[in-house]
Amino acid sequence: MKASGSVFKYGDNVDTDVIIPARYLNSSDPAELAKHCMEDIDKEFIHKVKSGDIIVANKNFGCGSSREHAPIAIKAAGVSCVIAETFARIFYRNSINIGLPIIECPKASQEIEAGDQVEIDFDTGMIYNKTKGTSYQGQAFPEFMQKLIEAGGLVNYINEGK
Amino acid sequence: MGMTMTQKILAAHAGLPEVRAGQLIEANLDLVLGNDITSPVAIHEMEKMKVDGVFDKNKIALVPDHFVPNKDIKSAEHCKCVRQFAKKNEITNYFEVGEMGIEHALLPEKGLVVAGDVVIGADSHTCTYGALGAFSTGVGSTDMAAGMATGKAWFKVPSAIQFVLTGKPSKWVSGKDIILHIIGMIGVDGALYRSMEFTGDGIANLSMDDRFTIANMAIEAGGKNGIFPVDKLAEDYIKEHSNKIYTIYEADKDAEYDQVISIDLSTLKPTIAFPHLPENTHTIDEVGEILVDQVVIGSCTNGRIDDLRVAAKVLQGRKVCKGIRTIIIPATQSIYLQAMEEGLIRTFIEAGAVVSTPTCGPCLGGYMGILAAGEKCVSTTNRNFVGRMGDVTSEIYLASPAVAAASAVTGKISSPAELEE
């Protein structure tokens, strides 16, 4: 499984309130949520993002609320993977559960810049920065998490197992 | 090598003699919680699962509290979805408007969580119940769905930071000041993936409401859970509110901690978190002159009776500064009633504050006190992120109920001690 796209870069502690502000949580429709994804931190994001693009951020990405609407909005906006130094724990869990690939890799987070073309191989955890010609070893997913993401989330994964 | 308090609870619920930090386990759940924002997503996910219904209708709590009473048509539809699900599955602990309160104040009050329980809730502040000696943690809607269907959840066993609290806090220092001090010290990811285990003889000087506030904000340091030992005060609270059988777990003497942090509570001052992170803390003497437009006293962090009592003590015989909107929200119906009986509501209204039915409303910028561009708010809530309570240029200063009430009187961030001079 691979992902490839152009990078949107953010800093530390990107919280779930800026990923999807609570004023839009009266909806749980992924397409509706995607329209407001990252609105309070980057108004241009949703107009520029293309299917397959990648978010790279620094530490504690997704801190704050438990709203699953946050990874749902990111996935529905077309983002193929989020790379960060660290993730807040509920966001990490939610992303896996809904099938949004995420990778912890401090060095990649520090060095990759906005607009870089990046490719990720989920089987090996390798991150390739095609713009800069650099590569990084991120954390590879354990097999069950890969299957879960490929199935499109926990629910499908559970159902497939039955 | 021994286990922490959290590890012991998790081991018991996984049917294992012992667990180690980093180990993946599947634990049996004593309670699964959801609110009006997270439950509809969970219900939708559960409908996709090939299951007949919920694992136990008595072990699920559904508390519409965020946008309730319904703030708009979309919210009304969400609440309707939760209501219909509760009816169809005969959920015992569904709390309709009139019975409901803010979930993390309501559940302990209704006796639904006791010492030794394992609780997951699709709300990040589910960690509040650590005050009762339970393991409780926030999860997302899909985990809630799986929890409702199977009564189980997987966890990575956390390591822990031990906080040794000693001494007695001074007059205007509360649980809120203690937890803000801690977050200021370790940062918003200082306890990432870990337990925050509070110990030390200083705990004897903290009321249950102080402890609920401290455990509530463990998530603001990135923590998986925050937990207190069960002393007589906690046991009395549990016995008063619940008939459930409880189990007291204690950390082993040789439990291993990643870090041990000692705090003398007598040295702490009222503490305020500046925009836009809970870790941006300043003590009251460092604040300078910050004029405010709104004050909010309430939320799952600080909407309990102790919080209202201290706010009333500050507001008694005084008036809210002209032009400052002061919004006070008792967290549950029973707290509201208690506040009425004690005359606190009269004090608030005579001072010029407005008192609302229980709701999370303003804390997350839902309704009941949204901020306009550039406005500043002193709030007893838990997060001061960009745009959390309204416009992206508005600012939130997190503080205790005492500081919030004093700030309402002066119109700028103030210590209640200043009013006594």
Side-chain angles (χ1 to χ4, degrees):
Chain A
M1 202 168 85
K2 281 185 181 176
S4 166
S6 135
V7 165
F8 289 81
K9 182 77 191 273
Y10 303 101
D12 289 339
N13 304 313
V14 173
D15 62 76
T16 52
D17 279 284
V18 295
I19 296 172
I20 182 71
R23 57 185 178 275
Y24 302 118
L25 297 186
N26 55 6
S27 172
S28 50
D29 172 28
E32 186 63 32
L33 293 170
K35 283 187 204 163
H36 305 288
C37 185
M38 308 304 272
E39 184 173 296
D40 283 0
I41 189 173
D42 180 2
K43 282 203 169 8
E44 293 306 308
F45 172 82
I46 203 61
H47 304 298
K48 290 182 179 166
V49 69
K50 300 180 302 298
S51 179
D53 282 352
I54 291 162
I55 289 177
V56 180
N58 298 120
K59 63 171 193 167
N60 204 25
F61 187 89
C63 64
S65 128
S66 68
R67 62 189 70 153
E68 207 159 283
H69 312 65
I72 289 173
I74 291 175
K75 189 181 175 191
V79 170
S80 64
C81 182
V82 183
I83 301 171
E85 266 185 74
T86 53
F87 290 91
R89 61 161 286 274
I90 306 177
F91 184 89
Y92 190 96
R93 226 183 143 98
N94 287 346
S95 300
I96 303 290
N97 283 343
I98 66 135
L100 171 70
I102 54 175
I103 294 192
E104 287 188 340
C105 184
K107 201 162 177 356
S109 297
Q110 284 152 16
E111 294 182 3
I112 294 172
E113 292 179 302
D116 287 356
Q117 290 297 312
V118 165
E119 189 177 284
I120 301 148
D121 183 337
F122 295 112
D123 299 331
T124 60
M126 283 305 290
I127 299 164
Y128 302 96
N129 185 338
K130 296 200 279 194
T131 305
K132 292 198 166 65
T134 49
S135 63
Y136 310 91
Q137 178 67 60
Q139 203 184 35
F141 285 118
E143 199 186 339
F144 90 92
M145 280 192 185
Q146 272 205 49
K147 283 187 179 159
L148 202 154
I149 287 170
E150 277 170 25
L154 180 66
V155 175
N156 293 343
Y157 179 67
I158 290 175
N159 286 341
E160 281 176 12
K162 290 204 173 185
Chain B
M1 193 176 55
M3 291 189 281
T4 65
M5 188 174 171
T6 298
Q7 289 166 354
K8 280 197 164 172
I9 297 173
L10 288 175
H13 284 74
L16 299 169
E18 61 170 18
V19 294
R20 294 268 162 258
Q23 189 177 342
L24 286 169
I25 57 155
E26 193 174 53
N28 291 312
L29 303 171
D30 297 299
L31 192 72
V32 179
L33 164 71
N35 59 48
D36 51 315
I37 289 181
T38 57
S39 301
V41 179
I43 291 166
H44 183 66
E45 290 302 307
M46 209 185 123
E47 280 165 357
K48 291 194 271 177
M49 289 178 190
K50 294 165 187 161
V51 290
D52 292 334
V54 299
F55 83 107
D56 186 336
K57 66 186 176 75
N58 298 315
K59 290 186 177 178
I60 291 165
L62 298 174
V63 189
D65 59 357
H66 277 57
F67 295 161
V68 169
N70 306 336
K71 81 175 178 98
D72 55 24
I73 296 169
K74 284 178 171 178
S75 305
E77 291 297 336
H78 275 176
C79 290
K80 190 172 159 188
C81 160
V82 180
R83 188 177 300 116
Q84 287 175 340
F85 176 85
K87 194 171 177 192
K88 184 179 157 203
N89 290 280
E90 301 173 328
I91 304 295
T92 322
N93 296 301
Y94 166 74
F95 297 93
E96 190 54 86
V97 169
E99 320 167 293
M100 57 69 84
I102 297 175
E103 51 197 321
H104 309 306
L106 188 71
L107 265 49
E109 184 187 289
K110 296 286 182 191
L112 294 177
V113 184
V114 295
D117 279 355
V118 168
V119 179
I120 61 166
D123 187 279
S124 60
H125 293 106
T126 301
C127 51
T128 307
Y129 319 124
L132 296 168
F135 170 82
S136 59
T137 193
V139 296
S141 296
T142 301
D143 276 323
M144 179 192 169
M148 287 198 296
T150 65
K152 292 175 194 296
W154 67 266
F155 299 103
K156 192 168 169 182
V157 176
S159 61
I161 303 177
Q162 184 186 37
F163 293 87
V164 184
L165 309 181
T166 59
K168 191 175 176 190
S170 58
K171 187 176 174 189
W172 296 111
V173 172
S174 67
K176 183 61 162 289
D177 303 292
I178 297 168
I179 190 64
L180 287 176
H181 172 81
I182 288 172
I183 297 164
M185 183 163 51
I186 67 173
V188 292
D189 63 347
L192 195 58
Y193 307 127
R194 294 185 281 184
S195 301
M196 298 170 76
E197 300 219 342
F198 301 98
T199 63
D201 54 19
I203 289 174
N205 299 316
L206 302 175
S207 70
M208 284 313 294
D209 285 359
D210 282 325
R211 300 178 199 185
F212 283 124
T213 303
I214 293 171
N216 172 275
M217 287 188 73
I219 181 67
E220 262 56 71
K224 185 167 199 148
N225 67 316
I227 196 163
F228 281 83
V230 183
D231 60 6
K232 180 160 186 312
L233 188 70
E235 248 189 298
D236 288 347
Y237 181 97
I238 292 166
K239 283 182 197 156
E240 188 191 331
H241 291 88
S242 187
N243 296 320
K244 276 178 69 173
I245 294 164
Y246 60 94
T247 312
I248 299 176
Y249 292 89
E250 289 176 347
D252 288 325
K253 293 263 184 285
D254 58 344
E256 197 176 61
Y257 299 96
D258 287 355
Q259 205 180 343
V260 178
I261 297 174
S262 298
I263 298 168
D264 178 356
L265 301 178
S266 70
T267 63
L268 302 190
K269 297 173 186 169
T271 301
I272 293 98
F274 280 36
H276 290 286
L277 280 177
E279 70 183 23
N280 294 338
T281 55
H282 297 267
T283 51
I284 190 77
D285 50 315
E286 303 170 342
V287 164
E289 183 162 292
I290 297 172
L291 299 175
V292 300
D293 301 285
Q294 179 173 293
V295 170
V296 171
I297 299 173
S299 83
C300 61
T301 309
N302 278 127
R304 297 183 182 80
I305 194 69
D306 272 8
D307 303 317
L308 301 186
R309 283 178 185 145
V310 72
K313 198 167 154 187
V314 175
L315 292 172
Q316 178 70 48
R318 298 193 172 100
K319 290 278 181 203
V320 161
C321 178
K322 197 158 177 59
I324 309 295
R325 294 108 58 182
T326 304
I327 301 160
I328 302 180
I329 310 178
T332 67
Q333 290 289 78
S334 129
I335 293 168
Y336 201 153
L337 203 55
Q338 176 82 22
M340 263 177 63
E341 283 166 4
E342 293 183 19
L344 313 182
I345 303 294
R346 170 170 285 277
T347 301
F348 297 148
I349 292 174
E350 284 179 350
V354 68
V355 182
S356 155
T357 186
T359 177
C360 306
C363 172
L364 75 164
Y367 69 131
M368 280 298 295
I370 304 296
L371 300 174
E375 288 190 331
K376 291 182 169 67
C377 178
V378 177
S379 183
T380 68
T381 55
N382 41 57
R383 291 188 179 130
N384 54 355
F385 299 149
V386 170
R388 169 87 175 170
M389 289 178 83
D391 188 90
V392 289
T393 62
S394 61
E395 295 185 349
I396 306 159
Y397 294 79
L398 303 177
S400 69
V403 168
S407 305
V409 172
T410 62
K412 56 186 184 182
I413 299 179
S414 302
S415 165
E418 286 170 39
L419 300 178
E420 291 176 318
E421 284 163 9

